[in-house]
Amino acid sequence: MIDKQLLSGNEAVARGAYEAGVRVATAYPGTPSTEILENIVKYKDDIYCEWSPNEKVAMEVAIGSSFGGVRSLVAMKHVGLNVAADPFMTLSYTGVKGGLVIVTADDPGMHSSQNEQDNRHYARFAKVPMVEPADSQEAKDFVGKALDISEEFDTPVILRTTTRISHAKTVTELGEREEKSVPEGFVRDPGKFVMVPDNARKRHPVIEERLKELAEFAEKTELNRIEWEEKEIGIITSGVAYNYAREVFPEASILKLGLTYPLPEKKIKDFAAEVSKLYIIEELDPFLEEQIRAMGIEVTGKDKLPITFELNTKIVRDSLLGNNSDILEKEEENESDELPYRTPALCPGCPHRGVFYTLNKLGVAVTGDIGCYALGVVPPLSAMDSLVCMGASIGNAFGLELALGDKIKGDVVGVIGDSTFMHSGITGLIDIVYNKGASTIIILDNRITAMTGHQQNPVTGKTLMGEETEIIDLAKISEAVGVKRVLTVDPYNLDQTKKVIQEELDSDEISVIIARRACALLKYVERKPPLHVDSEKCKNCGFCLEIGCPALVQGDGQSRIDDYLCTGCGVCVEVCPFDAIEKDGGIDD
Amino acid sequence: MTKTTNILLAGVGGQGVLLASEVLSKTALREDYDVKKSEVHGMAQRGGSVVSNVRFGKKVYSPLIAEGEADIILAFEQLEALRWVKYLRPGGIIVTSTQRIDPLPVAVGEIDYPDDVLERLEKMEYDVVSIDALELAREAGNQKAINIVLIGCLSNYIKLSVDGLRQVIQESVPEKTVDINLRAFEAGRTHENILTLN
Ligand SMILES: Cc1ncc(C[n+]2csc(CCOP(=O)(O)OP(=O)(O)O)c2C)c(N)n1
């Protein structure tokens, strides 16, 4: 019997890696890619897998394994490839030994991202082939296909997914693992692996030749298939957009591209010649469209379809066939648009809350970073003034101080999470020490990579494969790079937190404050009984609401605590001037 | 079984929306439908709205339910029912928990939670089933079982087999909570505000 399962695209990629004989898999977490490695770990007897400190390192480890001759996979979210772009661009020149697939999971619509860059451009930029699955079955199968292409053409291969591929579950048939042998030893090949200019100059023409061969391959491969129906409308599409196209145009002929770089020019021209009208249906940039137009083919694409955000069947239908929805529907739409928006917020009990409450009260400029704590920007905490990319907070803080000098002295704080600090905060810190800055940096150390769903990282003492390991000490690292003022506070203790931050802002030296308390959602963190408001004592001053805790609600003339949400962390107790917030059965310690 | 069934589940992060959609889609797979289920992880789950699309039928393409296409909305919270109602097709069904979770701007007193959500839903041209899933889950033994109470209630209006659902629930919840969850399922299934459908 065939084993059919409902797998997400990420689970399918993991399974694909297993079946295709991958031996090393690396990643740094990032939505929507995270679950790939979280699922590969199921196969840890056959696949070594790790959370690397960042995507560049993940890429470099995978490149090393490929040079060693085993099949390797590295996964990241779209912006992760920016971090890994340096090794990636030259990897195109070296080529591979063992097959190497680079999974980039893009996030059109920015469900959980700071931008919606279209990473298909990276394939063209680096001159490497790219495959794009349209569902989980393809996500699984394309891993093996990508590795075959990688080995046949001596090239890394990009496998690009998007949120609706990564996180949609679709029916997938499983296969068996095909074991690949490990080479007897490392085979030296400096002309290929050592990219000094002399060697690189020899490699570049090879890359151009490879691209031509790949374009020929694109003409024949079953990855690019034509579904002939009526010839009135022809559609060229790929990835998740194929599904929208098929559903909206059941009668159209479709050229479905699985290999989206390089393109099969002849196949496209032949297809275009057969149909009366040609649509290009793709999400985000006109990546296919521009190349197809350059072939001299007339198409309808981004002149009708949006270039921003995700597509869906409604958008495809309305854009290409015209909108005929009635007025009634519009009214309902307006009605739901005016409903209170459910902004994401720091969870009840989140240790980051105390720091942002304090920063808000101090009124300082806060250069922010990426993680759960980005939610420090949400009112009423409203304590974040910049957020660019992972690690940026530290350099941004220093730059702000350089720009405004005395005018902003003692009024800037950079905040960064523990995982983000390990990812790319350390070099920023070194810069400030080296160049004699005096910034105040707070490491929000909740002992986990929380935002992406609790992955281990170098401060947690555990590896992805579940082994105990060295705990990298944030205080010692800060000291080792030359920071003299390194302090640790408990962010549940507001008085202490405020006192220490104020002192460090006043100091003329760089300081690192480690705000340490484990994420309230971690299993080992005990959840205390919910607190409640004593209605005799509450004067409705609203102070407790300023901490922005979802469990604290403006009730009828008084604050109220939602016992479904409250974790009993007690931060609200500290801000209540009337001692009106208590544990059930009164305050006791 | 030619027509695709579209169920949109909507709730708030932490309410167990994703497990509920998992139960539905696994059951559908066992009944040999083509199934797609889609949702968003990450930022959206920090107390934000959580939506899951479950589609099953002979052949399903899009992983997303388009506006005006859902046969049923299963809402874990009243406001979310109203927020997503535009996705319902004419003549569709809303199954909603009466639970109310205040969005942060409401909690801090910046804006009001509309107090007429259920009335507004009932005024629309849809069949509405409202159920106090939180209370029923607590009675069954654990407030976390609201998702299973709601699946129980939903089971009256979809063509998936009840035994199939029970079986998948048993396999999907932690072992020591199986009894609680099966009780929760029955509580939802036999809840009094049951529509009669023709
Ligand atoms: C280059 C890059 N890689 C990955 C991500 C995804 N990402 C966003 S926040 C985050 C982790 C944050 O962890 P931490 O700094 O510990 O903060 P926490 O969420 O625990 O508060 C990750 C991996 C990203 N936005 N950019």
Side-chain angles (χ1 to χ4, degrees):
Chain A
M1 206 187 98
I2 316 161
D3 189 2
K4 273 209 247 171
Q5 292 190 12
L6 209 52
L7 297 188
S8 70
N10 285 341
E11 291 168 321
V13 168
R15 179 72 195 185
Y18 168 76
E19 291 178 8
V22 164
R23 284 185 172 270
V24 175
T26 59
Y28 180 72
T31 316
S33 71
T34 311
E35 299 83 0
I36 296 173
L37 268 275
E38 287 182 331
N39 282 285
I40 282 188
V41 74
K42 287 183 193 153
Y43 311 111
K44 67 180 176 186
D45 290 345
D46 298 294
I47 307 178
Y48 165 86
C49 53
E50 70 166 39
W51 291 129
S52 314
N54 67 29
E55 293 86 353
K56 178 173 183 285
V57 175
M59 178 80 72
E60 289 154 351
V61 173
I63 292 172
S65 308
S66 163
F67 286 0
V70 305
R71 287 194 155 188
S72 308
L73 174 146
V74 52
M76 59 200 68
K77 71 182 285 163
H78 59 337
V79 288
L81 193 48
N82 302 336
V83 177
D86 197 11
F88 170 68
M89 294 302 289
T90 301
L91 168 66
S92 171
Y93 279 43
T94 65
V96 303
K97 182 88 184 183
L100 176 50
V101 60
I102 294 147
V103 184
T104 160
D106 293 10
D107 189 18
M110 295 168 277
H111 297 284
S112 288
S113 303
Q114 63 269 40
N115 76 24
E116 61 174 347
Q117 66 186 47
D118 186 333
N119 272 13
R120 293 179 299 171
H121 296 295
Y122 267 115
R124 212 171 161 198
F125 191 19
K127 308 186 182 210
V128 304
M130 169 171 59
V131 293
E132 285 187 81
D135 58 26
S136 300
Q137 182 72 53
E138 288 191 350
K140 181 183 80 78
D141 296 343
F142 283 15
V143 175
K145 300 234 159 79
L147 288 163
D148 291 344
I149 295 171
S150 173
E151 285 164 0
E152 184 180 340
F153 293 91
D154 188 5
T155 177
V157 178
I158 290 181
L159 187 149
R160 179 204 186 231
T161 66
T162 53
T163 301
R164 300 299 178 182
I165 298 297
S166 305
H167 286 174
K169 291 203 170 186
T170 77
V171 184
T172 313
E173 285 178 15
L174 305 191
E176 297 297 321
R177 177 167 167 98
E178 228 177 275
E179 209 56 67
K180 305 276 170 190
S181 60
V182 180
E184 284 311 312
F186 175 55
V187 185
R188 288 184 163 153
D189 193 351
K192 177 170 149 63
F193 293 147
V194 184
M195 282 304 97
V196 291
D198 257 356
N199 289 342
R201 275 192 288 269
K202 289 186 197 109
R203 289 296 296 174
H204 188 183
V206 176
I207 298 335
E208 299 302 331
E209 202 46 47
R210 180 179 76 196
L211 210 48
K212 284 190 199 137
E213 285 163 21
L214 281 160
E216 270 166 45
F217 171 78
E219 303 285 354
K220 311 178 300 235
T221 173
E222 64 198 8
L223 291 165
N224 299 327
R225 67 162 193 262
I226 297 178
E227 298 172 1
W228 286 116
E229 298 288 339
E230 288 165 20
K231 297 191 174 174
E232 176 64 25
I233 295 174
I235 297 169
I236 301 179
T237 185
S238 69
V240 73
Y242 159 78
N243 298 291
Y244 308 138
R246 208 3 117 219
E247 201 159 305
V248 175
F249 296 98
E251 268 123 48
S253 294
I254 293 186
L255 167 52
K256 180 193 171 296
L257 297 170
L259 180 70
T260 44
Y261 194 77
L263 292 180
E265 182 160 348
K266 183 169 179 305
K267 195 169 203 149
I268 289 171
K269 282 183 169 160
D270 291 350
F271 179 76
E274 292 278 328
V275 297
S276 324
K277 196 163 181 30
L278 186 60
Y279 293 141
I280 311 289
I281 302 182
E282 59 187 322
E283 242 167 21
L284 298 180
D285 293 345
F287 177 79
L288 302 174
E289 182 177 335
E290 281 176 355
Q291 294 179 76
I292 292 169
R293 278 186 197 280
M295 296 171 192
I297 299 170
E298 208 185 301
V299 303
T300 297
K302 292 294 164 183
D303 46 336
K304 293 256 172 87
L305 286 159
I307 202 163
T308 52
F309 313 141
E310 294 185 293
L311 298 179
N312 58 39
T313 48
K314 183 173 178 349
I315 293 171
V316 170
R317 187 178 293 120
D318 291 355
S319 308
L320 295 174
L321 298 176
N323 186 357
N324 53 4
S325 55
D326 51 46
I327 303 143
L328 216 161
E329 196 188 332
K330 276 272 158 307
E331 267 173 13
E332 270 174 20
E333 204 163 317
N334 292 340
E335 175 160 25
S336 51
D337 286 349
E338 102 224 349
L339 297 176
Y341 177 60
R342 217 175 268 287
T343 10
L346 294 177
C347 304
C350 175
H352 300 329
R353 176 169 288 107
V355 172
F356 287 106
Y357 173 79
T358 306
L359 293 174
N360 172 306
K361 291 291 159 210
L362 290 171
V364 291
V366 180
T367 58
D369 222 303
I370 305 195
C372 288
Y373 51 94
L375 295 169
V377 72
V378 177
L381 291 170
S382 310
M384 191 167 290
D385 301 294
S386 72
L387 184 159
V388 182
C389 67
M390 289 193 75
S393 56
I394 300 184
N396 289 169
F398 189 34
L400 200 55
E401 288 168 349
L402 292 175
L404 296 174
D406 281 348
K407 293 182 188 139
I408 201 160
K409 191 166 180 293
D411 277 333
V412 182
V413 169
V415 295
I416 185 165
D418 49 284
S419 183
T420 305
F421 183 76
M422 286 294 154
H423 178 280
S424 46
I426 299 171
T427 41
L429 195 64
I430 291 174
D431 182 48
I432 304 177
V433 174
Y434 173 51
N435 288 304
K436 306 200 277 190
S439 315
T440 301
I441 305 300
I442 302 178
I443 303 180
L444 299 159
D445 179 15
N446 62 352
R447 311 308 298 158
I448 202 76
T449 316
M451 176 84 259
T452 39
H454 285 179
Q455 290 75 34
Q456 305 298 336
N457 74 46
V459 312
T460 66
K462 271 256 167 71
T463 67
L464 171 59
M465 300 210 283
E467 286 163 15
E468 305 278 328
T469 182
E470 199 71 33
I471 294 177
I472 295 180
D473 187 319
L474 291 164
K476 279 195 192 147
I477 284 200
S478 305
E479 282 158 11
V481 304
V483 180
K484 303 215 171 53
R485 304 179 69 94
V486 180
L487 297 110
T488 301
V489 299
D490 174 3
Y492 275 3
N493 183 338
L494 295 180
D495 288 342
Q496 181 201 33
T497 301
K498 184 166 183 185
K499 182 167 161 286
V500 170
I501 296 177
Q502 188 61 65
E503 277 168 14
E504 296 316 306
L505 283 167
D506 293 342
S507 110
D508 281 336
E509 265 182 86
I510 177 168
S511 26
V512 168
I513 302 167
I514 299 167
R516 173 168 300 151
R517 184 171 269 275
C519 170
L521 300 183
L522 280 168
K523 284 220 176 68
Y524 66 78
V525 173
E526 208 186 324
R527 188 177 168 140
K528 300 212 187 96
L531 303 170
H532 75 266
V533 177
D534 182 338
S535 55
E536 310 257 289
K537 292 188 187 162
C538 176
K539 303 268 184 296
N540 200 28
C541 67
F543 282 18
C544 59
L545 300 176
E546 291 175 10
I547 65 172
C549 176
L552 261 159
V553 189
Q554 170 85 73
D556 270 340
Q558 278 196 329
S559 294
R560 187 170 60 75
I561 289 176
D562 183 335
D563 60 5
Y564 175 76
L565 296 172
C566 178
T567 63
C569 77
V571 168
C572 56
V573 177
E574 293 175 72
V575 301
C576 177
F578 303 107
D579 294 331
I581 303 178
E582 313 180 330
K583 289 179 191 160
D584 273 334
I587 290 278
D588 62 299
D589 270 355
Chain B
M1 86 179 213
T2 46
K3 204 198 148 290
T4 299
T5 301
N6 296 316
I7 306 172
L8 190 120
L9 297 87
V12 180
Q15 280 193 304
V17 174
L18 304 189
L19 180 74
S21 66
E22 190 75 19
V23 167
L24 290 175
S25 45
K26 270 196 184 150
T27 311
L29 176 68
R30 288 197 188 165
E31 294 176 20
D32 267 340
Y33 291 105
D34 187 22
V35 189
K36 284 195 177 169
K37 140 172 150 110
S38 175
E39 63 235 352
V40 169
H41 309 192
M43 194 66 142
Q45 278 171 261
R46 298 283 173 279
S49 303
V50 175
V51 172
S52 181
N53 299 252
V54 175
R55 311 189 69 205
F56 55 91
K58 190 151 180 285
K59 173 80 193 158
V60 180
Y61 287 101
S62 168
L64 296 175
I65 298 168
E67 266 174 48
E69 225 182 55
D71 299 294
I72 301 186
I73 289 181
L74 183 66
F76 287 54
E77 201 270 355
Q78 329 176 2
L79 189 60
E80 295 312 302
L82 194 55
R83 193 186 311 281
W84 294 95
V85 70
K86 64 183 174 195
Y87 278 76
L88 208 53
R89 69 166 163 78
I93 305 173
I94 302 169
V95 176
T96 183
S97 172
T98 53
Q99 193 180 349
R100 170 182 158 162
I101 299 176
D102 287 357
L104 196 58
V106 172
V108 300
E110 245 170 55
I111 39 173
D112 291 328
Y113 190 107
D115 49 17
D116 58 347
V117 173
L118 290 176
E119 286 106 87
R120 268 154 86 176
L121 285 173
E122 264 150 25
K123 253 191 258 153
M124 295 175 185
E125 311 259 296
Y126 305 115
D127 290 318
V128 181
V129 181
S130 59
I131 172 168
D132 189 345
L134 180 58
E135 184 53 35
L136 290 173
R138 282 178 176 154
E139 278 169 26
N142 191 333
Q143 64 174 13
K144 280 194 184 150
I146 46 179
N147 49 1
I148 304 300
V149 172
L150 287 167
I151 294 281
C153 187
L154 177 77
S155 69
N156 293 300
Y157 313 109
I158 53 175
K159 51 192 173 184
L160 297 177
S161 100
V162 175
D163 282 339
L165 285 165
R166 280 200 194 99
Q167 181 63 33
V168 173
I169 288 168
Q170 280 195 33
E171 293 165 23
S172 309
V173 301
E175 216 181 295
K176 49 182 200 295
T177 67
V178 167
D179 288 346
I180 293 175
N181 279 293
L182 289 179
R183 272 205 299 281
F185 181 81
E186 290 317 314
R189 189 167 162 71
T190 54
H191 157 69
E192 61 207 21
N193 185 4
I194 297 295
L195 276 180
T196 37
L197 294 181
N198 32 18

